Amino acid sequence: MVTIQDVTFNAKKYNKHSNSKKILSAYEFAEKAHGNQLRMSGEPYIIHPLEVAYIITTLQLDDDSICAALLHDVFEDTDVSHEEVREKFGEDVEKLVDGVTKLGKLSAQTFIDKREEQVENYRKFFMAMAKDIRVLMIKLADRLHNMRTLKHLTDERKVANAKETRMLYAPLANRLGIYSIKWELEDLSFMYLEPEAYFELAKGVKSKREEREKFINEIIEELKEKMKEAKITAEIYGRPKHLWSIYRKMQKDNKTLDQIYDLFALRIIVNSVKDCYAALGFVHEMYKPMPGRFKDYIAMPKPNMYQSLHTTLIGRNAVPFEVQIRTWDMHRVAEYGIAAHWAYKEKGASVSVSDDKLSWLRETLEWQSETNDDKEFMNTLKFDLFDEEVYVFTPAGDIKALPAGSTPIDFAYSVHEQVGHKMVGSKVNSKIVPITTMLKNGDIVEIITSDNSKGPSRDWIKMVKTTSARTKIQNFFKKALKEENTARGKEMVEKELKRIGIPFSDLFRTEWLEEVLQKYKYNTLEDAYAAIGFGAISPLKIITRLLEEYKKENQDIEIDKKIEELKQVKLDNRPRSSKNGIIVKGIENCLVKLAKCCNPLPGDEIVGYITRGRGVSIHRADCTNCRNLINNEQRLIDVAWEKEVKASFVTEIAIYANDRNGLLADITVALLEVKANIISVNAKTTQNRVAIITIGSEVESIDQLNKIIKALRKVDSVYDVQRSK
């Protein structure tokens, strides 16, 4: 168990000026405040803040961060006031503790539902991050220890915490480049969300560890000898890849563990950038590099400051392995991310979002202040955190990092809002291309603008990949159509008031309205009307909030009924699913058909297309026919799978194998073992004795299909299995 002496000792190791007396005082204060409180494990509560503070010292943060980690739960779980902490430990510590504290106990606000409270907590968290990024690092340390001790919670809470960790905290750790925390959070989430797959994979990796380590150690010795000959001072070692990254690769490529070779990555750490490229040359001289698997993150660092050379090589017996080459400074950034830049010697130093290293967070804060829709906020948050990047160049040679799948429209808005608004065309690598062209790494992008441009097209909102571009386009139309939206919004509010039978004058009192407008960040009632008319916020939200204020001064049972009625209306307005388990946004009881060309399954990314007289056709997002339909934007509609789809779907699987006696029988046995329901089989053999077997099967989800494919890949002589429809 960690002690306060461990914390102060660790702090002294990297900061000889660390104030152990202040840290000890924070510990004693927290211990007294938490008193006899216990964790779910039955241990004294103070153990948790101690563990969080210890994790903070492994990131080598300053004394104020360590003190805040020790005190991070006192506002939420004890009667300690902000003034007490500020007076005893300083304003910086008080602000850090406040930043990681949830709204719950501190706020007198009433929330319409639990989701709204959660979103407001996220908003508060992001705003605190804007002022000082140490808030996020303390929150990550807090979440890491909670995940390490998750076994003491109920199954329901285990799953909820693991989902939130995977959705929010692991991607945030990735964005800050703190890979040591990112990997552990991902593996712990994996263990609780998919325990069967986790333990099966852990067992499989363990059984192969000795064989892989022998293979890697032989290569390490060869590389050490080569570096010594070349007079390059280098440390070389192997690192096993974490389980979640292996599992994702297996799922993405439909491969078994036997087909994943790079379970270990080799690291070569040298003294200079010059040595990095020299070492790369020797490595490529010794082993054949795999085409398309070289990445230069030194010339083009990731947005989280990560730098390294990555290359995949072919070793003995055609076994691939990965090598990462970096300097010691780069290695420190790779381990600690933004914490590696922490100036703990500078009293009161902090890193804010104005720093270029945190441009992604600055953009996040820009769009989160623009939207009041909870669902849009959460969806965009997930989208911005998870997306991978492509690196493109301006004509002047500056690098722009954009989400994978971005277009010249995204690029234009990343340069400047007016460049996007005045865009009339684009060039990629000196050739004129459609503005919907998907950008690739290394593209040189030039935007053609015109002062006569009337502004963006509404279709661009669905075409762009970046949140900042989407927000700027939406704002353009909000301003352009404000008068029309204001009239529509006012009409919607009046209609709702008439329906529930409350006069406008009774509800829209100035003092109540000011509080509601402030809550949803509108300057005037006209701004709120415009937002309602545009669809950015529901009139029910504004009215429900005003009814809550009305209720405080009027003890009227009918008001409670009206509030519940409005909440029920919100629930009733949720999208309804079809018999296929498909939810069509904004439409109820419409005809929904799954496209035969691609046979989508629950778990597939899908799009809806409004047909002429045959309802909505559902395609997989990667369907070839769907790509052609996307050109007709006005007939596309948002669709999604229901959370629990209780139906079976037909799909086709193509099996390619070297023909032999008993092949079909072995395939049948493999299918029976995974309880696959077979409805059709079609087999043929080519002149080269290649057997092509197409199987029609009923499945319930993409996960079940992947299990079937995995089982078929294990059959002797089978060399490829693909989903054909």
Side-chain angles (χ1 to χ4, degrees), residues 83-131:
E83 290 71 25
E84 286 179 86
V85 172
R86 191 183 306 119
E87 185 179 333
K88 194 163 182 64
F89 302 103
E91 189 176 354
D92 263 15
V93 174
E94 182 268 325
K95 284 182 178 177
L96 289 172
V97 177
D98 179 60
V100 295
T101 301
K102 291 179 182 176
L103 291 173
K105 181 180 175 183
L106 302 177
S107 176
Q109 287 182 328
T110 55
F111 295 100
I112 293 173
D113 52 35
K114 195 71 180 172
R115 179 189 178 88
E116 186 181 7
E117 182 177 356
Q118 182 191 39
V119 173
E120 286 305 315
N121 277 319
Y122 287 150
R123 287 186 194 274
K124 177 180 184 287
F125 177 34
F126 269 80
M127 292 310 294
M129 284 161 55
K131 294 171 184 171

Side-chain angles (χ1 to χ4, degrees), residues 223-224 227-228 231-236 267-271 275 279 328:
L223 287 172
K224 280 183 177 178
M227 294 301 137
K228 190 176 179 181
K231 297 182 179 178
I232 296 175
T233 305
E235 182 171 318
I236 306 171
R267 281 197 187 137
I268 302 175
I269 307 178
V270 295
N271 292 329
D275 286 348
W328 285 104

